[in-house]
Amino acid sequence: MSGIAAAYVALAGAIVFEVTGTNFLARSEHVTKLGPTTVAAIFYALSFYLLAQALRQVPLGVAYGLWGGLGIILTAAMSVIVFKQRLNMPAVIGIGFILVGVVIVNGFSKSMTH
């Protein structure tokens, strides 16, 4: 696997671990339950480690933008699916703007390292 491909695999893993950590944080009941709190901390640590590995090849602004943007989109989706929360129209529109931003950065930015 090439260096850039490995970096994007690491970035994808960082996003998945961040979203998973956030879901466990929601189950921690404001950091009062030891188990979910510990699992959330472990997943966040793994996420930051993989994000750091991705930064070897992917520019900081791009990597962090993708990590944050896709993390928000996936966390919002998980809140609807897992926690049965509802998103109102302004939230859906805002998340749509984030998705458009991710597509623009990935598809059109000259900052991307391919």
Side-chain angles (χ1 to χ4, degrees), residues 17 39-51:
F17 284 146
V39 173
I42 290 168
F43 276 101
Y44 282 136
L46 291 169
S47 177
F48 282 119
Y49 173 78
L50 289 177
L51 178 59

Side-chain angles (χ1 to χ4, degrees), residues 3-88:
I4 192 68
Y8 278 101
V9 168
L11 183 57
I15 293 165
V16 169
F17 284 146
E18 187 267 333
V19 171
T20 304
T22 302
N23 279 287
F24 276 97
L25 186 62
R27 295 176 189 274
S28 74
E29 296 185 16
H30 309 287
V31 195
T32 60
K33 288 188 167 184
L34 182 61
T37 300
T38 303
V39 173
I42 290 168
F43 276 101
Y44 282 136
L46 291 169
S47 177
F48 282 119
Y49 173 78
L50 289 177
L51 178 59
Q53 299 312 302
L55 291 175
R56 292 179 177 187
Q57 295 285 326
V58 182
L60 173 63
V62 173
Y64 189 77
L66 293 173
W67 180 78
L70 292 174
I72 290 168
I73 293 166
L74 293 173
T75 299
M78 293 302 294
S79 73
V80 170
I81 295 165
V82 174
F83 298 107
K84 307 298 184 215
Q85 296 173 348
R86 297 181 59 114
L87 298 174
N88 62 16

